[in-house]
Amino acid sequence: TKRIGVNMKILLQEIMYSKNLTVRQVSILTGVSHSTVSDICNGAMPHMDTLEKLAKGLNVRITDLFESPYK
C-alpha cells in the first residue's frame, strides 16, 4: 500500500481534540488498532487504507485528516 507524502502533517490529534475523543475511542470507532492511532498521533505516516478507515469512523472527509494547501 502506498504511503502519503512525508512532508504532510496528519491532523488526527486536532480532530480527536475537537471531538473530545481518546485514542481508545478512536480505535473502537475506526477499527484502527490502538497502537496505530497512537503512532499516528506521534507523527507516523499512515497508509492510505488507514486514512480511509479513520475518515469513515470519525465521520470526516479524508482531506480533513491532513494539512495541505491543495484541499
Side-chain angles (χ1 to χ4, degrees), residues 8-70:
M8 283 188 190
K9 180 181 178 195
I10 302 302
L11 301 175
L12 181 57
Q13 278 186 303
E14 290 83 346
I15 292 169
M16 289 169 60
Y17 181 79
S18 71
K19 293 180 175 275
N20 199 28
L21 295 171
T22 65
V23 170
R24 183 174 182 275
Q25 289 169 321
V26 170
S27 179
I28 291 166
L29 286 169
T30 63
V32 175
S33 75
H34 184 284
S35 61
T36 299
V37 173
S38 184
D39 288 347
I40 295 166
C41 287
N42 290 320
M45 283 295 125
H47 289 276
M48 199 60 159
D49 60 336
T50 303
L51 287 173
E52 288 175 346
K53 287 179 185 177
L54 290 168
K56 185 176 180 184
L58 295 171
N59 198 28
V60 297
R61 293 177 307 226
I62 200 164
T63 55
D64 293 336
L65 288 170
F66 51 88
E67 187 175 75
S68 171
Y70 304 108

